[in-house]
Amino acid sequence: MSTNALIAKGNTAEIYLHNNKIVKVFNDYLPDTEAEMEAGKQRIANSAGLPVPKVFDVSEFQGKQAIMMEYIKGRTLGDLYLSNKEQAEYYLAVSVDIQQKIHRVIPNLDASELMYDKLCRQIKAAVSLTEKYKNDLLRKLDTMTFENRLCHGDFHLFNLISADGKVYIIDWVDSSAGDIRADVCRTYLLYSQHFTELADSYLQIYCEKSGLSKKEILQWAPLIAGVRLSEQVSTENTAQWIEIINSYRL
């Protein structure tokens, strides 16, 4: 692969392979602190002993803010699943074990972004929501119980890279100190939007391994749906997130 090869493009950044390092280059519209904030979150996860690519530097690349980090040469569990769907439950079980390792970390609240603050900010910023929806969701958020643990915030098979007999966790931009039920609910809803065949199996496996009930996880669904609207993902249907909000009595 050549120097400066673009290998992935997401909603907020482009990923390059440069001199055998990964360079995550952030879009211009993001705050100037975005790279430093995400790098800080990744360092927190790494210092907790989780399998996370090392951050080497936060600097500029092609005139934009960027993170330079360790290149993990492997395949995502998502890609492995797509090439062998009969192993879906195996890959989901592996991912749940990793997610539970994340959830066992008790973060330093002074150094971490708080999930409550993050969700408040995102719900308020969701342009697709009326003020009534926003107020209803914020009231519901105030009733939720938080047991602060490290939460990834965008956990799924495509953010797990298998390499040299180890699985690495990438893309920590949405991580926070918050409630694991919210984190599980977000994963479930992401699968329900993009890989419906995985959603129920994932939730079943997580509940079996953790002892949590589906009810206590899914109580977060309207809040996560409201947050997802603020992210304005072009491949997702706004009406489906609104439908999820409407299906729960706030």
Side-chain angles (χ1 to χ4, degrees):
M1 192 172 286
S2 63
T3 297
N4 290 4
L6 177 66
I7 59 174
K9 188 171 184 178
N11 204 38
T12 59
E14 295 179 337
I15 309 296
Y16 291 85
L17 180 59
H18 174 71
N19 294 339
N20 208 37
K21 294 183 176 69
I22 288 295
V23 184
K24 186 169 185 176
V25 184
F26 292 84
N27 293 338
D28 284 332
Y29 66 84
L30 294 168
D32 293 341
T33 56
E34 193 73 16
E36 191 60 61
M37 180 191 70
E38 181 171 343
K41 291 181 175 185
Q42 195 159 319
R43 289 184 180 116
I44 287 172
N46 189 283
S47 67
L50 295 169
V52 176
K54 294 173 184 172
V55 172
F56 296 127
D57 193 18
V58 177
S59 59
E60 283 197 356
F61 186 83
Q62 299 179 346
K64 298 180 181 180
Q65 60 177 319
I67 304 173
M68 297 187 182
M69 66 187 89
E70 180 183 9
Y71 172 43
I72 307 298
K73 188 176 182 179
R75 297 180 68 189
T76 69
L77 294 193
D79 289 334
L80 292 171
Y81 155 71
L82 290 177
S83 63
N84 188 3
K85 291 191 174 184
E86 291 182 358
Q87 292 295 309
E89 288 199 8
Y90 168 75
Y91 292 124
L92 287 173
V94 170
S95 76
V96 166
D97 287 342
I98 294 168
Q99 193 174 22
Q100 287 189 290
K101 287 181 182 177
I102 298 172
H103 290 163
R104 283 194 282 271
V105 175
I106 301 175
N108 180 343
L109 298 184
D110 293 330
S112 305
E113 183 174 19
L114 301 182
M115 179 185 284
Y116 177 87
D117 296 343
K118 188 175 191 299
L119 298 186
C120 275
R121 183 180 71 251
Q122 290 177 299
I123 290 169
K124 290 176 181 178
V127 295
S128 302
L129 291 175
T130 65
E131 288 304 309
K132 181 181 184 309
Y133 273 126
K134 291 179 183 180
N135 291 333
D136 287 346
L137 289 171
L138 291 171
R139 277 195 295 270
K140 180 172 180 62
L141 182 61
D142 283 336
T143 70
M144 304 302 281
T145 300
F146 283 80
E147 296 178 16
N148 280 309
R149 298 295 180 99
L150 182 61
C151 296
H152 183 274
D154 193 26
F155 190 87
H156 49 74
L157 295 178
F158 292 90
N159 275 336
L160 298 171
I161 298 177
S162 177
D164 300 323
K166 190 173 180 179
V167 179
Y168 293 82
I169 315 156
I170 62 170
D171 201 0
W172 287 84
V173 64
D174 289 310
S175 67
S176 63
D179 196 86
I180 66 173
R181 297 160 188 82
D183 201 41
V184 175
C185 187
R186 181 171 170 109
T187 299
Y188 168 74
L189 291 179
L190 290 175
Y191 283 143
S192 71
Q193 286 280 316
H194 299 283
F195 294 92
T196 54
E197 71 277 13
L198 296 179
D200 289 338
S201 293
Y202 160 76
L203 189 59
Q204 182 68 31
I205 292 169
Y206 195 99
C207 288
E208 288 174 354
K209 285 178 174 285
S210 67
L212 295 177
S213 71
K214 293 180 182 179
K215 182 178 180 180
E216 60 185 311
I217 290 168
L218 293 177
Q219 67 179 331
W220 284 92
L223 294 164
I224 302 303
V227 165
R228 196 63 178 168
L229 286 171
S230 75
E231 296 167 9
Q232 297 182 316
V233 180
S234 60
T235 57
E236 294 180 354
N237 188 334
T238 297
Q240 288 180 318
W241 292 119
I242 296 291
E243 185 179 343
I244 290 172
I245 295 172
N246 283 332
S247 67
Y248 289 81
R249 296 183 63 184
L250 299 178

